[in-house]
Amino acid sequence: AVDKGKGIYLFSRNAGTGKTTLMAGVRNGLIAKRIKCVFINIKDLLNEASQRDVTRDTKSLYDYGMFLRIPVLILDDIGVVRLDDGRYGQWVNDTLYELMERRCRNRLSTCFTSNYSPKQLISERGVDFKTVDRIMELATMTIDVGGQSLRGREMKKKNNKNKNPKN
């Protein structure tokens, strides 16, 4: 599927359901097969995008252009940034659209995790329709992971264990 530019959109309204862990496993499998890929949180990607026009002396971890050409890009936590806050939101929408459009055009695989369905990206997070349209073109499979927070359950167990230590 990687050579055909296919991707996955994993979402669950609840945080801690294993979306990021699952995609990290996908990344590890791709690396084991020597397929070039990058796994990055959307906030970090946007930070890198904001640096692309600044002098080359920045302490940037990435060359932003890499995101436009890497065979597999995994974007974690899309929708975490609200995009309906005026000028900044429009810049982010334009940046995401440019990235998605280029990846579509070049048939590059792109995977996503989110706490929002594609429709909610538009209605609740302010992502432009055209950007979500490109995301859905890239993510040929959309999966609602559902479920309860595994992190929440683990923390609850740990807290209960600390409250009731065995003497």
Side-chain angles (χ1 to χ4, degrees), residues 9-28:
Y9 187 94
L10 289 181
F11 75 98
S12 172
R13 192 65 174 156
N14 296 320
T17 56
K19 300 175 297 290
T20 299
T21 301
L22 185 59
M23 281 294 127
V26 168
R27 177 208 54 211
N28 293 344

Side-chain angles (χ1 to χ4, degrees), residues 3 15 33 60 109 138:
D3 61 343
K33 291 182 177 186
S60 179
S109 294
L138 288 162

Side-chain angles (χ1 to χ4, degrees), residues 51-52 54-59 63-64:
Q51 298 296 317
R52 70 180 163 178
V54 180
T55 68
R56 293 283 178 203
D57 288 343
T58 64
K59 293 196 178 1
D63 161 20
Y64 179 77

Side-chain angles (χ1 to χ4, degrees), residues 42-155:
I42 195 69
K43 283 185 174 183
D44 294 332
L45 174 84
L46 294 172
N47 185 50
E48 293 300 322
S50 71
Q51 298 296 317
R52 70 180 163 178
D53 296 325
V54 180
T55 68
R56 293 283 178 203
D57 288 343
T58 64
K59 293 196 178 1
S60 179
L61 294 173
Y62 303 98
D63 161 20
Y64 179 77
M66 172 188 61
F67 300 116
L68 301 172
R69 57 184 184 273
I70 192 87
V72 181
L73 178 62
I74 301 172
L75 294 175
D76 188 39
D77 225 2
I78 194 152
V80 72
V81 178
R82 279 193 78 90
L83 303 184
D84 52 5
D85 69 348
R87 205 166 107 195
Y88 174 75
Q90 192 56 55
W91 175 84
V92 173
N93 264 309
D94 292 345
T95 300
L96 283 176
Y97 178 78
E98 173 193 22
L99 177 62
M100 298 306 124
E101 172 60 25
R102 292 247 192 116
R103 293 191 64 78
C104 279
R105 193 175 338 129
N106 294 314
R107 298 185 58 164
L108 297 170
S109 294
T110 311
C111 299
F112 308 86
T113 70
S114 184
N115 289 338
Y116 302 92
S117 72
K119 286 182 181 178
Q120 289 172 319
L121 287 178
I122 298 166
S123 65
E124 296 179 25
R125 307 310 291 168
V127 180
D128 286 344
F129 172 80
K130 66 181 186 175
T131 304
V132 174
D133 188 52
R134 290 298 180 273
I135 289 170
M136 291 297 87
E137 188 175 337
L138 288 162
T140 54
M141 188 183 312
T142 302
I143 302 170
D144 183 350
V145 176
Q148 296 178 359
S149 172
L150 300 173
R151 262 194 312 262
R153 280 195 298 193
E154 288 303 313
M155 289 178 77

